[in-house]
Amino acid sequence: MKNKINQNRGLKKTIIQVAEVAGYLWQKGWAERNAGNISVNIDQLIDGELDDVNKYPVFELPETYPQLANKYFFVTGTGKRMRDLARAPQKNAIILKITKDAKSYHIISRHKLDEPDLRPTSELPTHLAIHQQIAERGGSEKVIIHTHVNELVALTHSPDMKSKNRVNNIIWGMHPEAMVFIPRGVGFVPYVMPGSVEIANLTLIEFQNHDVVLWEKHGVFAIGESVFDTFDSIDIVSKSAKIWFTCMQAGFEPEGLSESQLQELKAKFASGF
Ligand code: 13P
Ligand code: ZN
């Protein structure tokens, strides 16, 4: 299996990009211990050569994901560190194939059956639910990143920040790029047990209207077409929160861009940069 991955140039390139971004998450200080996870829909990169899946171990899913039947995903391993992923991505992530009935998955990158520790992220229910939503609407996003951005977690601790309006006024108001690159603003999920189907369902509702979603007192999820685009979205949102805290620490509430300045940006960059 390892050889087949190495021979697949598209897949190899994607894995190298995931490793690069995993390194950024660690360097940013957003990835303490095993914090965060990444998944990539790699279905288009696999040309059928891996179809003999029955020899690989099979695991049950908590839900059924009919739109994802037979699809392949590159998913970071549970308990694995982003800093380790950065230097050895294949040892800290897996490739899985969803079964035909979409109720289970095979880990097809596991070459030895005695590697019990290499399992997909505990946030798999949220990752798969989002990939399924993207497939349902025919979206082109392939990548999902979850990470623990300090300033975004800190922001959601404020009793004042439980409203999406308030959070988005801060995100858009702190620097022009936020309106240009995150025009749909961020979604917000109140605190719920991580790894649960409940948090997956609440997150899905927010991804109907946003490409970046905050999890109260926990972190952020983002979707994008490439690993770099997805990282950039999180980086831009995090920059806003950082500027807001910098001003507050300096003793003043930031003025923020005015409504007319925001509308001007929105009109000029409505169809992208
Ligand atoms: P995993 O190690 O299972 O991916 O969990 C990390 C995390 O951030 C949970 O929310
Ligand atoms: Zn987390």
Side-chain angles (χ1 to χ4, degrees), residues 129-147:
I130 299 168
H131 282 298
Q132 156 126 318
Q133 186 182 62
I134 294 167
E136 269 164 7
R137 64 172 163 79
S140 50
E141 299 90 343
K142 301 267 177 265
V143 179
I144 302 172
I145 298 179
H146 164 60
T147 189

Side-chain angles (χ1 to χ4, degrees), residues 139-192:
S140 50
E141 299 90 343
K142 301 267 177 265
V143 179
I144 302 172
I145 298 179
H146 164 60
T147 189
H148 298 177
V149 178
N150 301 336
E151 288 81 5
L152 294 176
V153 177
L155 203 64
T156 67
H157 274 277
S158 164
D160 217 25
M161 298 296 162
K162 311 289 179 207
S163 112
K164 243 187 335 191
N165 272 354
R166 177 83 173 108
V167 172
N168 280 314
N169 282 339
I170 289 177
I171 301 299
W172 284 325
M174 293 303 105
H175 63 137
E177 273 75 7
M179 179 53 88
V180 176
F181 292 106
I182 319 288
R184 294 181 350 127
V186 302
F188 182 85
V189 175
Y191 185 84
V192 175

Side-chain angles (χ1 to χ4, degrees), residues 199-264:
I199 201 165
N201 290 338
L202 291 171
T203 308
L204 267 194
I205 296 171
E206 294 302 293
F207 270 109
Q208 284 170 1
N209 298 310
H210 308 280
D211 301 317
V212 179
V213 172
L214 306 186
W215 274 7
E216 183 184 1
K217 298 172 190 162
H218 181 146
V220 57
F221 262 83
I223 59 172
E225 296 193 8
S226 77
V227 192
F228 297 123
D229 287 339
T230 314
F231 169 80
D232 287 341
S233 296
I234 297 175
D235 201 24
I236 285 168
V237 170
S238 118
K239 175 106 175 184
S240 289
K242 209 166 180 166
I243 295 169
W244 188 80
F245 278 112
T246 305
C247 296
M248 296 299 273
Q249 279 157 4
F252 66 96
E253 176 143 13
E255 192 173 59
L257 294 163
S258 69
E259 195 49 41
S260 67
Q261 288 165 337
L262 291 174
Q263 289 311 322
E264 187 186 24

